[in-house]
């Protein structure tokens, strides 16, 4: 049972480069989200989606784009990477967007911007 | 607005002694609260959740937490620490009427000494 799969696990970019972080889940979950984790700050929500074709901004959306063309996939795009985007990125999913349902997390993508 | 404060950034215990990780929350309504654990280079794993049922919640690996509305607290405890409990722990609250959005605390790193 794969759960939430994130690729790549590690990535180094140069300032100004673009890339896409991939996230896929095989649990038929409607709700998916992206967080970034920085030391001493916990996890902060970047973007989220309540279903295919529907996305919305979280707490720290600037510099990131998302789309949700299928239930399974929720990629995160960095259009022009900046050193401030060096972080660990986590994708999560839950069955629906109901507040009492726990979220399932991937193992993260560790991204460094030089 | 909802918020979460984890009162200790680092807790150190000896193996076999009790564990107490403290979490206070702020919410204008009855919240859903979660504790997650993160082992090195891994994603977050759900330990337990409170969703307005029993105030004493039992989770995996012998952990439990008590919801105290009068103190706005949701502290995590375990009677006897094991070496494998060494990890980072996150308390989180969901945002009302905004589905699965999670607000995380800053995290508490638990060290367990032999």
């Amino acid at each position: 049972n794969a759960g939430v799969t994130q690729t790549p696990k590690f990535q180094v970019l140069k300032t100004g480069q673009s890339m896409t972080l991939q996230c896929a889940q095989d649990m038929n979950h409607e709700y998916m989200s992206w967080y970034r984790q920085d030391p001493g700050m916990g996890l902060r929500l970047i973007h989220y989606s309540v279903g295919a074709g529907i996305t919305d901004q979280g707490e720290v959306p600037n510099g990131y784009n998302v789309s949700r063309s299928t239930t399974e996939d929720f990629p995160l795009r960095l259009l022009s990477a900046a050193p401030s985007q060096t972080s660990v990125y986590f994708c999560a999913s839950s069955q629906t967007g109901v507040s009492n349902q726990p979220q399932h997390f991937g193992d993260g993508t560790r991204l460094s911007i030089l | 607005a909802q918020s979460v404060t984890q009162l200790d950034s680092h807790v150190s215990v000896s193996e076999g002694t009790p564990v107490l990780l403290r979490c206070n929350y702020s919410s204008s309504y009855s919240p859903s609260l979660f504790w997650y654990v993160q082992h090195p280079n891994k994603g977050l794993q759900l330990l337990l959740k409170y969703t307005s049922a029993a105030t004493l919640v039992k989770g995996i690996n012998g952990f439990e937490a008590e919801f105290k509305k009068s103190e706005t607290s949701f502290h995590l405890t375990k009677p006897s620490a094991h070496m494998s409990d060494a990890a980072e722990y996150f308390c989180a609250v969901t945002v009302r009427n905004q589905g699965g959005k999670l607000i995380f605390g800053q995290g508490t790193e638990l060290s367990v000494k032999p």
Side-chain angles (χ1 to χ4, degrees):
Chain A
N1 193 359
V4 178
T5 302
Q6 292 184 237
T7 56
K9 295 189 182 302
F10 303 93
Q11 185 70 49
V12 179
L13 293 177
K14 294 181 179 179
T15 298
Q17 288 185 315
S18 62
M19 82 160 294
T20 299
L21 309 185
Q22 301 291 346
C23 175
Q25 52 91 8
D26 62 359
M27 298 172 283
N28 201 32
H29 285 173
E30 291 295 323
Y31 185 91
M32 297 185 73
S33 53
W34 277 101
Y35 294 85
R36 60 177 289 173
Q37 181 181 25
D38 301 292
M41 302 186 74
L43 281 77
R44 294 177 292 168
L45 182 65
I46 304 172
H47 285 286
Y48 66 99
S49 169
V50 299
I54 306 169
T55 64
D56 205 347
Q57 296 181 349
E59 182 185 358
V60 289
N62 292 341
Y64 308 95
N65 281 352
V66 292
S67 60
R68 183 95 179 271
S69 57
T70 67
T71 298
E72 294 78 19
D73 300 300
F74 190 44
L76 178 71
R77 297 183 186 86
L78 284 71
L79 299 179
S80 178
S84 61
Q85 294 177 305
T86 294
S87 188
V88 183
Y89 292 84
F90 289 98
C91 180
S93 73
S94 61
Q95 190 168 8
T96 68
V98 176
S99 62
N100 63 359
Q101 290 193 349
Q103 295 190 31
H104 301 259
F105 286 81
D107 284 346
T109 294
R110 284 146 187 85
L111 182 62
S112 293
I113 314 296
L114 305 178
Chain B
Q2 287 82 9
S3 66
V4 172
T5 301
Q6 292 183 243
L7 300 174
D8 306 291
S9 59
H10 186 262
V11 170
S12 181
V13 301
S14 296
E15 191 174 21
T17 64
V19 175
L20 170 64
L21 305 182
R22 299 183 294 167
C23 173
N24 285 356
Y25 70 92
S26 173
S27 178
S28 56
Y29 67 100
S30 183
S32 292
L33 292 158
F34 303 83
W35 274 100
Y36 286 87
V37 60
Q38 183 183 29
H39 289 96
N41 298 316
K42 289 293 185 182
L44 278 69
Q45 179 186 15
L46 179 70
L47 278 177
L48 50 81
K49 67 175 184 178
Y50 167 77
T51 58
S52 74
T55 56
L56 183 61
V57 182
K58 294 188 183 298
I60 62 171
N61 301 334
F63 285 94
E64 62 181 35
E66 186 172 7
F67 174 73
K68 291 186 176 181
K69 185 176 181 179
S70 60
E71 300 177 9
T72 61
S73 68
F74 190 56
H75 300 337
L76 182 69
T77 61
K78 183 173 181 178
S80 176
H82 191 272
M83 295 297 292
S84 61
D85 294 328
E88 187 150 23
Y89 292 80
F90 292 94
C91 183
V93 63
T94 48
V95 180
R96 187 185 192 186
N97 296 331
Q98 295 189 45
K101 280 188 179 180
L102 281 168
I103 305 296
F104 283 89
Q106 300 90 332
T108 298
E109 184 179 356
L110 176 65
S111 299
V112 182
K113 297 175 290 186

